[in-house]
Amino acid sequence: MSREKLPENLWEQVLATLEIELDQSIVATWLNKTRLFETDENRLLIACQDAYATEIIKNRYSDLIQKTVYDLTGKKFRFSFRSQPESTETITKGPLFDQLPSQTTENSQQITAAVNLQTTPRNTNLNPNYTFDNFVVGNSNRVAHAAAMSVVENPGSVYNPLLIYGGTGVGKTHLLHAIGTDLQRKNQNWQITYLTSEKFLNDFIDHIRNTKKMSDFRTMYRSMDVLLMDDVQFLGGNKEGTQEEFYHTFNELHQAGRQIVLASDRDPEEIEGLASRLISRLRGGLMVNIGMPDYETRIAIIITKSAELGMTLDPQMVEFVADLTPDNIREIEGTLLKIKSLALAQDEPITLGLIRSALQDTRSTKRSPSRKITPETILNLVTQTFDTTIKDLCGRRRKKEIVIPRQMAMFLLRNEIGMNLEDIGRILGGRDHTTVMHGCEKISSEIDENHNNYLKSQLRIIRETLYS
Ligand code: ADP
Ligand code: MG
């Protein structure tokens, strides 16, 4: 491989080319703040303005960047992208450059940190157990995580407010605390406060009722450096006074360049009874969604959390738990705790059997009336997933393509809705209960003992549909 020098202004050339290929606004928003940070023979490391931008650039523009560099240099590089705000950089461009570009960096953050040591933080309500370190990143929360990291890197500037929204137990509160804790560590004299909107409301009412000084309330809320407000959906409804107060608090903090991070269980637009001017303020920064964790994320979470709990689960057990707890991360934690306490109570090692019995009631609680699962639902899902028909499931044919889905139907009717063997036999074309029992056992053993990946994934698909 040639060791030709790269042109010193390579990155400027790349950006200029991208500006032609891409919309100018894209280059201005995401790419103009990137720098070529480090090079070696095969790899270029690109510094991006923050974690969120890094994620966007990596996912959307890395192919194009690679192609552009190839066009300009005739060389195929591997690329890494890293969040590296300009003020903290140390330039380490490698030997491939003609000369180091002159650039001075002043590390103002260090100076601020030194000054910050003088005072101690006031009451922040931050929970030190929710950190970035123990936040597992997967597809469902990757963007929210990156946005949260960016806020820590550039508080009060780019993403203000940051609003994280999504269903329950997906990690919104965790991220709010992680942001707060990290910012507090970096800026020890900042007043960083975590609170729910309900607390804000109660405080507000308290100050009105008890004729405490309203000016105290305002001074307190409007002097924060970082406001982390959870569950803002609670501001909805007939709470005009509180909304009005919050609107002014928000504006004052925002105008002063203080960082605001909000979490909500839905898009503010969907919060009933929320004043439209408040909605537009909340939506005025960056909004990121956290979805329900997908299978891989659940696996990663189970591995991390079980290790934290000092439990040893083999991969098969991890998958088993992941299959059965599709809902949310809080529920996964609950399940693991249940398994652990059952093992302790019975003084037994953790086995698939033990996990299954620990999960028994978890599964029955999932069967809430709102998502009533009927035998028809199960049979229909089985026919769709295995591409067969109800007629075949209930018929007499004994070909493998039909026997397996039929046994899967037995297994699901038994395990997901607890039907008894006789009833299952009856709806599946009048079969004997021992046949049904054999069918259920067959599927269990294929999955638990023979690691039949095909059946596992079919089962997962069916369960995800049943419980989503
Ligand atoms: P939300 O506020 O969205 O309802 P929480 O932040 O309270 O959810 O999360 C519920 C539980 O799940 C918490 O114990 C939290 O630590 C944990 N949790 C959520 N997401 C993750 C994650 N990505 N990695 C590790 N733990 C998580
Ligand atoms: Mg929460």
Side-chain angles (χ1 to χ4, degrees):
M1 192 153 293
S2 85
R3 281 199 59 95
E4 273 168 43
K5 303 273 187 213
L6 292 171
E8 193 198 330
N9 65 349
L10 171 65
W11 199 242
E12 284 73 28
Q13 290 185 35
V14 170
L15 293 179
T17 316
L18 290 175
E19 211 165 82
I20 299 165
E21 297 230 2
L22 292 165
D23 198 287
Q24 219 275 319
S25 67
I26 292 175
V27 178
T29 313
W30 302 116
L31 298 162
N32 263 349
K33 293 191 189 108
T34 55
R35 287 156 299 129
L36 186 51
F37 189 68
E38 204 176 273
T39 62
D40 65 27
E41 199 145 334
N42 305 310
R43 198 182 65 117
L44 301 184
L45 174 60
I46 311 301
C48 310
Q49 73 208 60
D50 57 42
Y52 185 67
T54 310
E55 206 58 43
I56 298 276
I57 294 167
K58 200 159 57 184
N59 289 334
R60 294 193 198 150
Y61 307 115
S62 61
D63 287 351
L64 185 59
I65 291 174
Q66 190 161 28
K67 178 180 167 297
T68 310
V69 170
Y70 178 71
D71 290 346
L72 290 169
T73 64
K75 195 162 165 342
K76 277 216 166 87
F77 285 95
R78 282 191 295 119
F79 280 81
S80 307
F81 298 86
R82 184 203 285 169
S83 153
Q84 189 89 41
E86 203 137 13
S87 60
T88 60
E89 84 176 311
T90 19
I91 293 198
T92 46
K93 279 182 181 162
L96 285 183
F97 271 86
D98 291 337
Q99 60 184 110
L100 281 177
S102 65
Q103 189 143 11
T104 50
T105 49
E106 200 175 304
N107 206 335
S108 57
Q109 294 199 344
Q110 273 178 8
I111 300 165
T112 333
V115 175
N116 287 348
L117 284 175
Q118 294 162 3
T119 44
T120 44
R122 287 157 279 175
N123 182 21
T124 63
N125 302 323
L126 289 172
N127 181 342
N129 297 324
Y130 291 156
T131 63
F132 282 114
D133 282 346
N134 64 14
F135 189 85
V136 178
V137 183
N139 287 332
S140 56
N141 57 29
R142 194 180 305 283
V143 171
H145 174 260
M149 301 274 279
S150 296
V151 163
V152 172
E153 284 162 17
N154 289 308
S157 54
V158 257
Y159 308 122
N160 203 13
L162 169 66
L163 185 136
I164 304 171
Y165 71 101
T168 48
V170 294
K172 304 181 297 294
T173 299
H174 190 130
L175 279 180
L176 250 51
H177 284 284
I179 293 173
T181 307
D182 252 26
L183 280 175
Q184 190 79 82
R185 193 160 37 77
K186 291 185 175 172
N187 309 282
Q188 303 198 5
N189 66 340
W190 280 13
Q191 177 59 43
I192 300 179
T193 304
Y194 167 89
L195 78 166
T196 64
S197 66
E198 197 172 4
K199 166 88 170 57
F200 183 86
L201 173 112
N202 289 340
D203 259 11
F204 180 58
I205 294 176
D206 219 28
H207 278 79
I208 298 174
R209 274 224 195 99
N210 300 334
T211 54
K212 284 190 196 165
K213 273 208 235 135
M214 212 46 209
S215 59
D216 287 354
F217 177 88
R218 296 200 169 121
T219 310
M220 177 178 69
Y221 277 100
R222 297 180 191 184
S223 65
M224 290 172 185
D225 294 293
V226 178
L227 172 63
L228 307 159
M229 188 182 272
D230 209 346
D231 296 324
V232 291
Q233 73 275 358
F234 192 77
L235 287 178
N238 301 322
K239 297 166 190 151
E240 287 91 5
T242 314
Q243 287 186 23
E244 164 103 23
E245 186 60 33
F246 182 62
Y247 179 75
H248 294 301
T249 308
F250 182 103
N251 284 344
E252 203 147 311
L253 292 175
H254 194 260
Q255 273 157 19
R258 310 288 163 79
Q259 179 69 47
I260 302 165
V261 187
L262 309 149
S264 167
D265 72 355
R266 67 202 91 151
D267 183 329
E269 239 169 24
E270 290 164 19
I271 302 176
E272 259 179 64
L274 195 62
S276 55
R277 60 179 182 162
L278 192 48
I279 296 179
S280 75
R281 298 310 267 142
L282 299 183
R283 291 172 56 93
L286 180 69
M287 291 216 316
V288 288
N289 178 246
I290 306 191
M292 291 300 175
D294 60 14
Y295 184 67
E296 284 72 22
T297 313
R298 294 205 298 277
I299 295 270
I301 284 171
I302 293 164
I303 292 173
T304 310
K305 300 268 168 183
S306 57
E308 278 171 16
L309 289 167
M311 302 161 68
T312 326
L313 300 184
D314 65 31
Q316 208 191 337
M317 298 175 183
V318 171
E319 284 177 26
F320 189 71
V321 177
D323 275 341
L324 289 172
T325 47
D327 278 335
N328 67 43
I329 297 167
R330 190 175 294 125
E331 215 165 292
I332 293 177
E333 288 188 319
T335 303
L336 291 173
L337 272 177
K338 204 175 270 176
I339 295 169
K340 184 178 170 174
S341 49
L342 191 69
L344 283 176
Q346 303 192 345
D347 195 17
E348 272 181 24
I350 297 173
T351 58
L352 277 178
L354 184 127
I355 295 177
R356 194 176 285 122
S357 40
L359 285 176
Q360 220 96 63
D361 20 315
T362 315
R363 264 188 289 155
S364 57
T365 57
K366 278 185 193 309
R367 265 177 258 129
S368 55
S370 64
R371 44 159 70 141
K372 226 172 90 201
I373 299 169
T374 62
E376 289 75 39
T377 326
I378 289 186
L379 296 188
N380 284 331
L381 270 174
V382 170
T383 56
Q384 281 161 30
T385 317
F386 288 89
D387 196 17
T388 169
T389 61
I390 300 260
K391 195 162 156 242
D392 271 340
L393 287 185
C394 301
R396 296 287 128 194
R397 291 169 63 197
R398 298 188 47 83
K399 272 168 65 181
K400 197 171 154 216
E401 302 86 76
I402 295 164
V403 170
I404 288 176
R406 188 181 290 141
Q407 290 176 332
M408 181 60 96
M410 295 170 179
F411 176 87
L412 289 165
L413 291 168
R414 177 106 184 112
N415 287 291
E416 308 305 312
I417 49 178
M419 273 178 88
N420 68 41
L421 300 171
E422 281 77 16
D423 287 346
I424 296 175
R426 205 166 301 129
I427 68 166
L428 284 174
R431 296 188 141 79
D432 188 75
H433 76 274
T434 53
T435 313
V436 176
M437 194 160 69
H438 170 75
C440 295
E441 278 166 5
K442 175 80 181 144
I443 299 291
S444 279
S445 74
E446 276 302 306
I447 286 170
D448 292 350
E449 283 146 40
N450 300 340
H451 312 302
N452 183 324
N453 284 330
Y454 167 70
L455 278 189
K456 267 195 213 174
S457 81
Q458 300 295 77
L459 181 61
R460 181 156 71 242
I461 292 165
I462 294 174
R463 279 185 174 142
E464 270 174 4
T465 318
L466 279 178
Y467 295 115
S468 63

